[in-house]
Amino acid sequence: MSPNFVAPPNGVATGYAITDPKDYLNFQKTEYKLEPLEDDRVTVAVECCGVCGSDHHTITGGWGSWETKFVVTGHEVVGRVVELGKNVTQFQIGQRVGVGAQVGSCGTCKWCKNDNENYCPEPVHGYNTLWPDKSEHQGGYSTHIRAQELFVFPLPEEIPSVEAASMLCGGLTTYSPLVRNNIGPGSKVGVVGLGGLGHYAVLFGVALGAEVTVFSRSDAKKADALKMGATRFVATTPGFEKDLFREFDLIICAASGTNLPIDEYLTTLDVGKKFVFVGLPDEGLKEVKSQALIWGVGLSGSHIGCRTEALSMLKLAAEKKIKPWINVIPMAQAADAIKSIEDGSVRYRTILTTDLL
Amino acid sequence: MSPNFVAPPNGVATGYAITDPKDYLNFQKTEYKLEPLEDDRVTVAVECCGVCGSDHHTITGGWGSWETKFVVTGHEVVGRVVELGKNVTQFQIGQRVGVGAQVGSCGTCKWCKNDNENYCPEPVHGYNTLWPDKSEHQGGYSTHIRAQELFVFPLPEEIPSVEAASMLCGGLTTYSPLVRNNIGPGSKVGVVGLGGLGHYAVLFGVALGAEVTVFSRSDAKKADALKMGATRFVATTPGFEKDLFREFDLIICAASGTNLPIDEYLTTLDVGKKFVFVGLPDEGLKEVKSQALIWGVGLSGSHIGCRTEALSMLKLAAEKKIKPWINVIPMAQAADAIKSIEDGSVRYRTILTTDLL
């Protein structure tokens, strides 16, 4: 039965909610009032939604206590436009769109105006978050979400919905540092950690024309990395950096663990180049000495991406026929997806398709 | 009596040497054979030489054991060309020149060929260092030094020798990150620590047209900072960063201490901008969390500067009539200069003038 993409009755959505971080696998169908449909907002009926590591961090309380009473996670949404705020001009009812890990920003700050709305100091993220008027925003393990028009992206027809979904956070989070660091034909890119984010760093790095090397703690994912287009796979055993002196134009670190051999990685960067974190280890960077930095290399971070990057990423994905490695299951099985993140078995992203509409 | 700028008899120089790190204030006049005058090298008779923090780190053994049997420090040399290797084309006997903290590089690597010879993996530094043929190189608290032509800089007539000397390391080390980070009119630059390096970061930042803010642990140097051209002085008491959210286009860290409030500084950088270390704290960056980096900012380092930067720095210094804050004393008083680094009393660089020629 194909989903019934209609507006939420009386602005009420139904989602798979977690009500207690101690019971974080117990998704319960829950009805809740959406935030108001302000003039610049769009309502999207959810067709499918990717499962991101952030979802696990949030529902387990790993990133701290919640802002909202319960949490409906999901910030990699593909769906149909079913309502338009009255100032929304670029979408039509019924149009297929994507929404990622940010649904709002102030719209007036310097960063909102210079293609850095992903760095707006007053962001509204994909779930477990409040709008300035304190109304709650929940995510895409649900029938509907609302978002500012700026954070709703038209999708190229060529990309199936389940393949587009996880590009909207996982894809964009790796695409943004690639393009901000001018990666293109001839560039050499390192990717640390081959999970959901890392696999996108490989796919988009290759699509941009770079030679990609994957670093991982063991050889377990070597075959996958090469199949994704990486030209080299390096298991980070002691001394791994010796043959890679100043090799890379960029290293994207998608590993969530601490105790990364950062000083060793820094020696593999060319002068003036960066090691960019796209993940958020909870602990500090204990092992970093500025002696390693003094050779003109840097440590940096990156947070999602901006709209113009999202649109160019989707265009590239359509042109290059990028296929993410995904596992598609019904939304009612969200707990299984969370478990596969926890035990590391996910290869490489789970997409939940709606069973609520 | 003006110095007698002649070639070293039989290639023998006289320098003020330290022979034991435990006795690091005991400079003794010592004769030693210079490295060979290879075809690409120049011999410079030393008129004056700046005293850098590195000199103190080296003679005390703070940077580890020595490469040479004794050490003649000094890598901020101004003097006269007195000998030319047979392939040297751009200098004449008697010409006034400067030599900084590097005297040699391989000349063939990628970095030597792309204006990054200061990042050559086989550098020969200003003293306590060996050439590939194992001949020793000593520094500028002496009658003579030898250096590859690439590391010898013609000096604009307008700059007196004692004012040019410390630009060649201290100046260049701060000028390079300023220009590599596109600092110019309208830029906002932070400078952490007002010592020899920090004072140059202020002078050159201002000369490039930036608005410069100096950060220091106390207000002790506030008046000096403002006199150098800084527009603001911030004592880093708790909460200092609160009013400076994403203010800076670059922060140059010239502080040698550890326990810097790095996470706080990172919040004062604009998106995509960097906190650049030009000093070398011995300990790691214990307090850095990647959470601070994730907002698109970076930690980086920088090592001296390249020839093209040295030449453009000297041109700028001449045009803008930059006056370093220096204290000029005879070379025989080198121990006093070292003591003033140790006790922090130097304001802001000591220049030793020859009493050996």
Side-chain angles (χ1 to χ4, degrees):
Chain A
M1 200 177 77
S2 77
N4 186 23
F5 296 119
V6 294
N10 305 311
V12 172
T14 302
Y16 288 102
I18 297 294
T19 53
D20 182 347
K22 292 196 203 85
D23 200 14
Y24 64 88
L25 291 174
N26 187 15
F27 288 93
Q28 290 294 330
K29 238 185 248 189
T30 303
E31 292 195 343
Y32 51 93
K33 188 93 178 154
L34 293 167
E35 59 268 64
L37 181 66
E38 300 289 352
D39 296 349
D40 61 349
R41 294 183 193 163
V42 171
T43 308
V44 176
V46 180
E47 180 184 347
C48 59
C49 181
V51 177
C52 177
S54 309
D55 302 359
H56 177 263
H57 283 298
T58 301
I59 57 179
T60 58
W63 279 351
S65 56
W66 297 341
E67 288 199 51
T68 57
K69 293 180 292 292
F70 59 89
V71 174
V72 176
T73 46
H75 61 203
E76 296 183 334
V77 170
V78 171
R80 300 278 169 168
V81 173
V82 293
E83 288 177 319
L84 298 169
K86 64 181 179 197
N87 292 341
V88 174
T89 55
Q90 61 180 315
F91 295 107
Q92 295 181 323
I93 298 292
Q95 186 173 347
R96 192 176 65 126
V97 295
V99 180
Q102 186 176 5
V103 299
S105 71
C106 79
T108 57
C109 71
K110 169 179 166 185
W111 302 281
C112 282
K113 292 182 172 175
N114 72 5
D115 273 343
N116 281 305
E117 71 274 8
N118 50 319
Y119 294 104
C120 172
E122 295 174 26
V124 182
H125 286 120
Y127 49 76
N128 179 36
T129 188
L130 302 177
W131 291 92
D133 69 0
K134 306 296 175 206
S135 58
E136 297 190 353
H137 175 77
Q138 299 293 356
Y141 297 7
S142 68
T143 55
H144 298 86
I145 63 165
R146 282 178 175 155
Q148 285 177 349
E149 178 179 28
L150 182 67
F151 300 96
V152 179
F153 312 124
L155 298 177
E157 269 187 31
E158 300 89 324
I159 310 178
S161 297
V162 292
E163 294 183 6
S166 59
M167 289 183 191
L168 300 164
C169 164
L172 184 57
T173 297
T174 60
Y175 181 82
S176 175
L178 286 166
V179 294
R180 290 189 186 210
N181 288 284
N182 306 312
I183 295 306
S187 301
K188 294 190 179 181
V189 172
V191 174
V192 179
L194 194 67
L197 289 173
H199 114 283
Y200 270 120
V202 177
L203 295 176
F204 283 115
V206 170
L208 288 164
E211 234 180 86
V212 177
T213 298
V214 171
F215 294 96
S216 189
R217 263 175 265 205
S218 77
D219 270 333
K221 295 178 179 173
K222 180 172 181 174
D224 285 358
L226 298 179
K227 218 162 159 183
M228 289 171 196
T231 49
R232 183 164 48 185
F233 185 94
V234 176
T236 54
T237 49
F240 76 92
E241 78 282 9
K242 295 282 187 285
D243 293 333
L244 299 169
F245 181 71
R246 295 191 188 168
E247 177 94 7
F248 297 105
D249 297 301
L250 173 68
I251 298 177
I252 292 185
C253 181
S256 55
T258 49
N259 295 320
L260 294 164
I262 307 245
D263 282 337
E264 286 79 359
Y265 280 122
L266 290 175
T267 67
T268 73
L269 281 170
D270 198 2
V271 172
K273 306 302 183 183
K274 290 184 202 159
F275 183 95
V276 178
F277 291 93
V278 294
L280 282 164
D282 289 340
E283 297 179 31
L285 304 176
K286 296 186 182 169
E287 302 302 319
V288 181
K289 294 190 183 295
S290 56
Q291 278 86 342
L293 296 173
I294 213 76
W295 299 105
V297 295
L299 283 175
S300 184
S302 183
H303 181 244
I304 340 178
C306 69
R307 179 183 188 81
T308 57
E309 289 161 351
L311 299 179
S312 70
M313 169 192 73
L314 291 165
K315 188 162 174 280
L316 181 72
E319 283 169 7
K320 299 274 184 180
K321 303 190 196 328
I322 291 175
K323 297 278 173 197
W325 291 33
I326 54 174
N327 177 34
V328 181
I329 61 175
M331 207 170 272
Q333 296 172 25
D336 293 338
I338 297 295
K339 277 187 275 183
S340 75
I341 287 177
E342 202 158 71
D343 68 16
S345 65
V346 58
R347 296 285 183 284
Y348 283 86
R349 207 65 156 181
T350 306
I351 311 300
L352 307 174
T353 53
T354 188
D355 45 26
L356 295 170
L357 286 175
Chain B
M1 201 178 76
S2 75
N4 186 22
F5 297 120
V6 293
N10 306 312
V12 173
T14 302
Y16 288 101
I18 298 295
T19 52
D20 181 347
K22 292 195 204 85
D23 200 15
Y24 64 86
L25 292 174
N26 187 15
F27 288 92
Q28 290 294 329
K29 238 187 249 191
T30 304
E31 292 195 344
Y32 50 93
K33 187 93 178 155
L34 292 168
E35 60 269 65
L37 181 67
E38 300 289 351
D39 295 349
D40 61 348
R41 294 182 193 164
V42 171
T43 307
V44 176
V46 180
E47 179 183 349
C48 59
C49 181
V51 177
C52 177
S54 309
D55 301 358
H56 177 262
H57 284 297
T58 302
I59 57 178
T60 59
W63 278 351
S65 56
W66 298 341
E67 288 199 52
T68 55
K69 292 180 292 292
F70 58 89
V71 173
V72 177
T73 47
H75 59 202
E76 297 183 335
V77 170
V78 171
R80 299 279 168 168
V81 172
V82 291
E83 288 176 320
L84 297 169
K86 64 181 178 194
N87 292 341
V88 174
T89 55
Q90 62 180 314
F91 296 107
Q92 295 180 322
I93 297 293
Q95 185 174 347
R96 193 176 65 126
V97 294
V99 180
Q102 186 175 3
V103 298
S105 70
C106 79
T108 57
C109 71
K110 169 179 167 185
W111 302 281
C112 281
K113 291 182 172 175
N114 71 4
D115 273 343
N116 280 305
E117 72 274 8
N118 49 319
Y119 294 104
C120 171
E122 295 173 27
V124 181
H125 286 119
Y127 48 77
N128 181 34
T129 188
L130 303 178
W131 291 92
D133 68 359
K134 306 297 175 205
S135 59
E136 297 191 354
H137 175 76
Q138 299 293 355
Y141 297 9
S142 67
T143 55
H144 298 86
I145 63 166
R146 283 180 174 154
Q148 285 176 349
E149 178 179 29
L150 181 68
F151 300 95
V152 179
F153 312 123
L155 298 176
E157 269 187 31
E158 301 90 324
I159 311 178
S161 297
V162 291
E163 295 183 5
S166 58
M167 289 183 191
L168 301 165
C169 164
L172 184 57
T173 296
T174 61
Y175 180 82
S176 175
L178 287 165
V179 294
R180 290 190 186 209
N181 288 284
N182 306 310
I183 294 307
S187 302
K188 294 190 179 181
V189 173
V191 174
V192 179
L194 194 68
L197 288 172
H199 115 283
Y200 270 121
V202 177
L203 295 176
F204 283 114
V206 170
L208 288 165
E211 235 181 87
V212 176
T213 298
V214 171
F215 294 95
S216 189
R217 262 177 265 207
S218 78
D219 270 332
K221 295 178 179 174
K222 181 172 180 173
D224 285 358
L226 299 178
K227 218 164 162 182
M228 288 171 197
T231 51
R232 183 164 49 185
F233 184 94
V234 176
T236 53
T237 49
F240 76 91
E241 78 283 9
K242 294 281 187 286
D243 292 333
L244 299 169
F245 181 71
R246 295 190 188 169
E247 177 95 6
F248 297 104
D249 298 300
L250 173 68
I251 298 177
I252 292 186
C253 181
S256 56
T258 50
N259 295 319
L260 294 163
I262 306 244
D263 282 337
E264 289 78 358
Y265 281 122
L266 289 175
T267 68
T268 73
L269 281 170
D270 198 1
V271 172
K273 306 300 183 184
K274 292 185 201 160
F275 183 95
V276 178
F277 292 92
V278 293
L280 282 164
D282 289 340
E283 296 180 31
L285 304 176
K286 295 186 185 172
E287 302 301 319
V288 180
K289 294 189 183 294
S290 55
Q291 277 86 343
L293 296 174
I294 213 74
W295 298 105
V297 296
L299 284 174
S300 185
S302 183
H303 181 243
I304 340 177
C306 68
R307 179 182 188 82
T308 58
E309 290 161 352
L311 298 179
S312 71
M313 170 192 74
L314 291 164
K315 187 162 173 279
L316 181 73
E319 282 168 9
K320 300 274 184 179
K321 303 189 197 327
I322 292 175
K323 296 278 174 199
W325 291 32
I326 54 174
N327 177 34
V328 181
I329 61 175
M331 206 170 272
Q333 295 171 28
D336 292 338
I338 296 295
K339 278 188 272 184
S340 75
I341 287 177
E342 200 158 72
D343 67 17
S345 65
V346 58
R347 296 287 183 282
Y348 284 85
R349 207 68 156 181
T350 306
I351 311 299
L352 307 175
T353 52
T354 188
D355 46 24
L356 294 171
L357 286 175

